[in-house]
Amino acid sequence: MEKKGVILMQRYELGRLLGQGTFAKVYHGRKLSSGQSVAIKVIDKEKILKGGELFNEIAKGKLKEDCNRKYFQQLIGAVDFCHSRGIYHRDLKPENLLLNENGNLKVSDFGLSAFTELQRHDGLLHTTCGTPAYVAPEIINKKGYDGAKADIWSCGVILFVLMAVSARRLIGNKALLE
């Protein structure tokens, strides 16, 4: 599938390799209907299946508080690393947080990310983007926003989700004992 000129889903032609990371490769592609250039992310399922998305772990409902703490600390460390280099993710959510085979969290999908240089004269970003359940209110209200603060808001929502799953697990176990 990773050969130049291959047609994907009868809609896209796969082009040259643009870059690669631990879990995926990104290729230049062309939309067949319009000729528009696109980026195509090809994920190595074998590498993902060793860890997977944090979302899948949440869906299982078996996360423990100490594990949540570890994931959240790693998330904040990764976000801090990005922010220190002027990069704002803008779509942080469990589906974009991958776990490697050692259970370490990796931030993925920087497709909506922005750089400090994209800020307008007011020092704010203005593109409405992200996943509604995780996005900061100022983005939904279509006001200018600070990319770093918007990412931190999303981290807070992720922490809430992690802790809610842990609490539900504990309440469920207690109910079973009664």
Side-chain angles (χ1 to χ4, degrees), residues 55-66:
F55 178 81
N56 294 334
E57 294 301 308
I58 291 169
K60 290 176 189 173
K62 296 183 179 179
L63 291 173
K64 295 182 179 177
E65 192 174 326
D66 60 336

Side-chain angles (χ1 to χ4, degrees), residues 9-22:
M9 301 181 296
Q10 300 175 340
R11 294 184 183 165
Y12 302 97
E13 180 181 21
L14 195 65
R16 65 182 172 85
L17 179 68
L18 298 174
Q20 65 184 49
T22 305

Side-chain angles (χ1 to χ4, degrees), residues 37-94:
S37 288
V38 296
I40 299 173
K41 184 176 184 177
V42 179
I43 298 174
D44 184 338
K45 288 183 182 179
E46 284 191 26
K47 289 184 180 176
I48 293 296
L49 292 176
K50 290 175 186 176
E53 295 176 356
L54 180 60
F55 178 81
N56 294 334
E57 294 301 308
I58 291 169
K60 290 176 189 173
K62 296 183 179 179
L63 291 173
K64 295 182 179 177
E65 192 174 326
D66 60 336
C67 194
N68 291 339
R69 184 181 313 108
K70 172 187 161 186
Y71 292 149
F72 190 70
Q73 287 172 338
Q74 290 178 349
L75 172 60
I76 293 300
V79 169
D80 180 54
F81 179 85
C82 291
H83 290 175
S84 71
R85 284 151 180 80
I87 301 168
Y88 311 108
H89 190 281
R90 303 194 307 175
D91 195 23
L92 292 168
K93 58 185 176 180

